[in-house]
Amino acid sequence: MGDAAHVHSPAGGQGMNTGIVDAVVLGRMLAEVVTGNRPDAWLDRYGELRRPAAAEVIALASRLTAMATTRGAARQTLRNAMLSLVGALPPARHRVEMSLSGLARRDATRLAA
Ligand SMILES: Cc1cc2nc3c(=O)[nH]c(=O)nc-3n(C[C@H](O)[C@H](O)[C@H](O)COP(=O)(O)OP(=O)(O)OC[C@H]3O[C@@H](n4cnc5c(N)ncnc54)[C@H](O)[C@@H]3O)c2cc1C
């Protein structure tokens, strides 16, 4: 879990948050097993629950890094216009907020219990 499972650029500030959710999910799953509520095989679900979040965060960080390092005046102008548009459109802004805050990926903690 954490960076050992999904290291990526710090763009978007998601690494620590994602690692903390990894730990919460694994902690809950381990608690279910050690208290005898679930069989050992329950732990196999960990990858199922966390791999999509890791893939999403890595893809998001890659997109943000590509955007931040865009070269050329025309591309930079286009990028800035697109970011202004996203900021001005509430549904688009909400989607970005949910993704950057990690709230879009909160289901995994609920499913682990
Ligand atoms: C510039 C920058 C800004 C960032 N900003 C944010 C942010 O705003 N928000 C956010 O959520 N995340 C951010 N991150 C990411 C965040 O710092 C990492 O995702 C997080 O620290 C990963 O925690 P971790 O415990 O998985 O790994 P690490 O913090 O790398 O911890 C691993 C630990 O294991 C130790 N270790 C390694 N090998 C061994 C060994 N063989 N034996 C014993 N110990 C060992 C290491 O010394 C280290 O202390 C940022 C990262 C950078 C670089």
Side-chain angles (χ1 to χ4, degrees):
M1 59 185 177
D3 276 15
H6 43 72
V7 72
H8 51 78
S9 125
Q14 303 280 296
M16 181 191 67
N17 293 327
T18 308
I20 288 171
V21 177
D22 287 348
V24 169
V25 169
L26 187 57
R28 286 187 181 173
M29 296 183 88
L30 283 169
E32 288 290 300
V33 172
V34 298
T35 53
N37 290 331
R38 304 267 190 181
D40 288 359
W42 176 240
L43 296 175
D44 293 340
R45 263 174 70 79
Y46 177 77
E48 229 175 273
L49 287 174
R50 296 308 296 154
R51 192 174 286 274
E56 203 180 304
V57 165
I58 290 168
L60 175 68
S62 301
R63 282 198 301 276
L64 291 173
T65 304
M67 278 202 293
T69 55
T70 296
R71 287 171 184 244
R75 282 170 181 258
Q76 287 173 349
T77 303
L78 187 66
R79 173 201 62 196
N80 295 345
M82 196 187 79
L83 289 175
S84 297
L85 189 65
V86 167
L89 292 173
R93 198 177 60 215
H94 179 70
R95 201 168 159 192
V96 172
E97 286 164 355
M98 293 297 282
S99 190
L100 287 179
S101 64
L103 290 172
R105 294 179 292 279
R106 67 187 154 188
D107 275 0
T109 44
R110 189 171 45 79
L111 293 172

